[in-house]
Amino acid sequence: MTSMPLPAAPKHTSRPASTQAGQDALKELRTNEVFVAIVGPAGAGSGTAAKILKTFFEENDFEAEIIKASSIIRRVAESRGYLVPNDGERKSLENVQIMQDRGDELRKGELYGLPEDHSAIARLVLKEIAECRAQLQRQSFSGGPVIPDGTRRAYIIDSLRHPAEVALFREVYQEAFTLLGIVCDPAKREKRIRENLFDRAQWSDRDIQEKVRMFLTRDENAPEKYGQHVSDTFYEADFFVDNSQDAGDNLALTGMNDQIRRFVSLITQTKIVRPSIAETAMHQACSAQMRSACLSRQVGAALVDLHGNIVSTGTNDVPKAGGGLYGESFTIQVDGDERCAFRDTVYCSSNREQNKIIDELFEEFPQLIEGKEKADVLKAIRSTRIGGLIEFSRAVHAEMDAILSASISGTSPRACRMYVTTYPCHYCARHIVASGIDEVQFIEPYPKSKATELHCDSITTESTEWTPPSTGGTHVLFRPFVGVAPNLYRRVFLKDRNYKDKISGEFAFGAPQWGSPTDVYKIAYSSMEAELGLELENV
């Protein structure tokens, strides 16, 4: 937005809190602002999602503003004289890659005389939001705080490319911040990139197709830490929508519309919305995930039958004799807990065994370390697939734990669906297929998995015209989870207000007495102590 000379921002004022009830005093301190960022790999349609969000927030009586990170990157780069594509010219792959470079340079910091800061673009967005709020409130912006005036506003950030950006926004905006993840079939994204950035005659060119794949790889997981890491950013989302359906330029026809409308209803708390079976199952999987004491990662799984009942849950941890895992007891186990984290000498068995293999290589091929630091060579080899070997882990994987738990309880996993926080590894994939499970939904990717590569005969990621194996199909479906993510589940589904008149029983959608799930306040808690603290001794 362009700047203009406007009156200075007024200081925050309110009636003395001692003359109001606590909940009334808090109400005056609420910002009534929400912040929604979007993350999606290239070609997923983040810009389209931002426009749809704006429309639906405005339908719910919010002022809605789209903050485009790419516009900020362009403006900053131009101010330093760095090359950027001409504004308004047709997009090309080369121009998009130039903008990737400019974003990477901001996070790296060197060209701007700054330290490496992976949240740098998010910090620029913070400043843009403050300037935008000042304009909306008809105030001049001098760089200082712009206190919200209580108007209901939604700031839509299009879009994030690094997990550090998410971390910064969560710290700053807390419960008022949510991240919307855009799911889209990889083949569909690749097709959109070719059609949007190249002439029709080039769409089937193999060199063009390879360039697009390389571009998408850099977008999702660049080799540099300061590069784009959309894949890592994506699974931090609070809500996932699927945009695999093509709708052209008609925003009313995208496959995201109903999903985004539901998301806005949850954030604005304007109607009663209840969780789906899938959302509850993934929430259970996340709960199971937190039981794990694995030194490498925590994974959770939930198995659901045909009727939506939770059959079992599982986590990745060390098995114990007699069945089950260590840590599964009505008492907190201290003595006799033989998990890696709690035994006398704490270490990861998987890492140790991998390193033994590497030591054998050094002994057999001493030229590998000639003239080099052994530790450096060890680190380099560990970055190869040797460091990704999973056969030496002591832990039963979450998916296997869920399958075994169901079997021990006498329930067949056949025709069940599995919800897992991380994409299954190829070890688990073969057991999932063999156990008769129909479908797997996941949030976090697992690039080391060879599940679809090794079991393409029995696993598919294509949901179009898919038939469950339990009804005659030939493939288990692995697909991304869509809906409310576990970290948003409690905030939006816990009943925090009256739904009826307590006398007549008539429906009456009330307001929460102590604030909604997305409320944040205009002042810091230290100021709230002074403003809300009740003084009676001298009254």
Side-chain angles (χ1 to χ4, degrees), residues 17-213:
S18 59
T19 67
Q20 302 172 275
Q23 60 264 44
D24 294 327
L26 283 173
K27 185 176 181 180
E28 290 190 1
L29 294 175
R30 291 184 192 123
T31 65
N32 296 321
E33 293 186 336
V34 294
F35 305 84
V36 180
I38 302 171
V39 59
S46 298
T48 301
K51 295 173 184 176
I52 297 171
L53 272 171
K54 177 177 170 64
T55 298
F56 289 162
F57 270 113
E58 289 173 345
E59 286 180 1
N60 284 276
D61 299 322
F62 274 70
E63 290 183 358
E65 295 290 330
I66 297 175
I67 309 295
K68 290 187 67 67
S70 60
S71 297
I72 298 172
I73 293 169
R74 172 189 293 276
R75 188 171 67 243
V76 172
E78 281 182 325
S79 72
R80 294 296 188 96
Y82 300 135
L83 174 67
V84 293
N86 293 326
D87 196 12
E89 73 175 89
R90 180 189 170 184
K91 280 188 176 181
S92 67
L93 185 61
E94 291 74 17
N95 284 347
V96 175
Q97 289 172 325
I98 288 172
M99 291 301 294
Q100 282 183 320
D101 292 340
R102 300 296 85 89
D104 289 357
E105 289 158 3
L106 277 166
R107 285 183 287 265
K108 188 175 182 181
E110 185 178 358
L111 291 181
Y112 293 86
L114 297 170
E116 188 169 318
D117 180 2
H118 301 163
S119 67
I121 295 170
R123 293 174 68 180
L124 290 168
V125 170
L126 293 180
K127 181 174 179 289
E128 183 87 356
I129 290 174
E131 291 180 357
C132 180
R133 182 186 299 117
Q135 286 223 332
L136 292 171
Q137 296 180 178
R138 301 196 59 76
Q139 300 170 8
S140 60
F141 180 72
S142 61
V146 182
I147 307 299
D149 60 7
T151 300
R152 301 210 304 175
R153 294 194 180 98
Y155 297 94
I156 301 161
I157 304 160
D158 175 22
S159 60
L160 305 191
R161 320 308 288 173
H162 199 287
E165 297 163 357
V166 180
L168 183 73
F169 287 132
R170 289 205 195 282
E171 290 295 317
V172 173
Y173 296 126
Q174 301 177 54
E175 299 297 292
F177 175 78
T178 47
L179 180 64
L180 184 72
I182 312 298
V183 174
C184 187
D185 178 71
K188 181 73 69 174
R189 293 192 287 108
E190 190 174 320
K191 179 175 179 287
R192 287 174 182 169
I193 295 291
R194 292 200 306 270
E195 292 179 356
N196 290 335
L197 302 184
F198 296 94
D199 294 328
R200 182 181 293 273
Q202 299 175 290
W203 291 356
S204 59
D205 186 287
R206 290 189 177 181
D207 289 339
I208 296 299
Q209 292 175 357
E210 182 59 27
K211 286 182 179 180
V212 170
R213 292 190 191 102

Side-chain angles (χ1 to χ4, degrees), residues 67 114 119 158 171 216 265 271 279 313 383 398 412 419-420 431 448 459 461 494:
I67 309 295
L114 297 170
S119 67
D158 175 22
E171 290 295 317
L216 290 172
S265 294
K271 62 175 68 173
E279 289 166 342
T313 61
S383 68
S412 172
Y419 296 82
V420 61
H431 290 92
K448 296 177 184 178
I459 294 175
T461 58
L494 184 66

Side-chain angles (χ1 to χ4, degrees), residues 301-320:
L303 202 58
V304 178
D305 68 15
L306 280 169
H307 306 289
N309 301 307
I310 303 293
V311 170
S312 64
T313 61
T315 190
N316 59 315
D317 226 325
V318 179
K320 64 178 180 181

Side-chain angles (χ1 to χ4, degrees), residues 287-309:
S287 178
Q289 170 188 20
M290 298 178 195
R291 302 200 312 258
S292 172
C294 179
L295 300 179
S296 297
R297 62 168 63 221
Q298 289 181 312
V299 181
L303 202 58
V304 178
D305 68 15
L306 280 169
H307 306 289
N309 301 307

Side-chain angles (χ1 to χ4, degrees), residues 345-408:
T345 303
V346 178
Y347 64 90
C348 176
S349 298
S350 184
N351 279 57
R352 185 162 290 190
E353 294 300 323
Q354 292 163 3
N355 289 344
K356 286 180 181 178
I357 294 174
I358 297 173
D359 284 337
E360 288 179 16
L361 288 174
F362 291 160
E363 291 176 10
E364 189 69 24
F365 306 101
Q367 62 268 31
L368 289 172
I369 54 175
E370 286 179 0
K372 304 172 185 175
E373 290 292 333
K374 182 178 178 180
D376 292 338
V377 180
L378 174 66
K379 184 177 180 181
I381 294 178
R382 283 199 58 82
S383 68
T384 70
R385 291 174 62 184
I386 290 178
L389 293 174
I390 56 178
E391 63 179 295
F392 303 113
S393 172
R394 297 177 67 221
V396 173
H397 288 192
E399 300 93 320
M400 282 300 304
D401 184 31
I403 292 170
L404 291 170
S405 295
S407 301
I408 290 171

